[in-house]
Amino acid sequence: DVFATAVKNHGDEPALKVERNGIWKSWSWREVRAFFSWFAAAVSSERDCFTDEQDVNCAARAFIRLGVK
């Protein structure tokens, strides 16, 4: 899985950056994984969403359930 490999190889490096009101905020690969783990658990009724390898797929299914295309 590409995402799991990125987390393993680049864990504390920035994965996402955004500028808001002139201030840059960044999230590491580990922080992004933690968010998707939480998000998947929060919106998914599936019980297999609690391992690193499945988090991204569960988050994607959760977005689809919310109507994100």
Side-chain angles (χ1 to χ4, degrees), residues 5-47:
T5 300
V7 172
K8 180 180 176 184
N9 293 336
H10 308 287
D12 292 323
E13 297 174 23
L16 298 172
K17 292 182 180 183
V18 64
E19 181 183 9
R20 293 187 182 144
N21 300 320
I23 299 171
W24 282 93
K25 169 70 177 163
S26 66
W27 293 269
S28 71
W29 286 96
R30 283 191 179 94
E31 290 172 318
V32 171
R33 179 185 64 188
F35 170 77
F36 278 118
S37 296
W38 169 84
F39 181 80
V43 298
S44 176
S45 62
E46 297 180 35
R47 295 180 183 215

Side-chain angles (χ1 to χ4, degrees), residues 45-64:
S45 62
E46 297 180 35
R47 295 180 183 215
D48 64 347
C49 289
F50 300 101
T51 63
D52 290 342
E53 295 79 23
Q54 295 168 331
D55 286 340
V56 173
N57 291 332
C58 289
R61 287 194 298 273
F63 277 118
I64 291 168

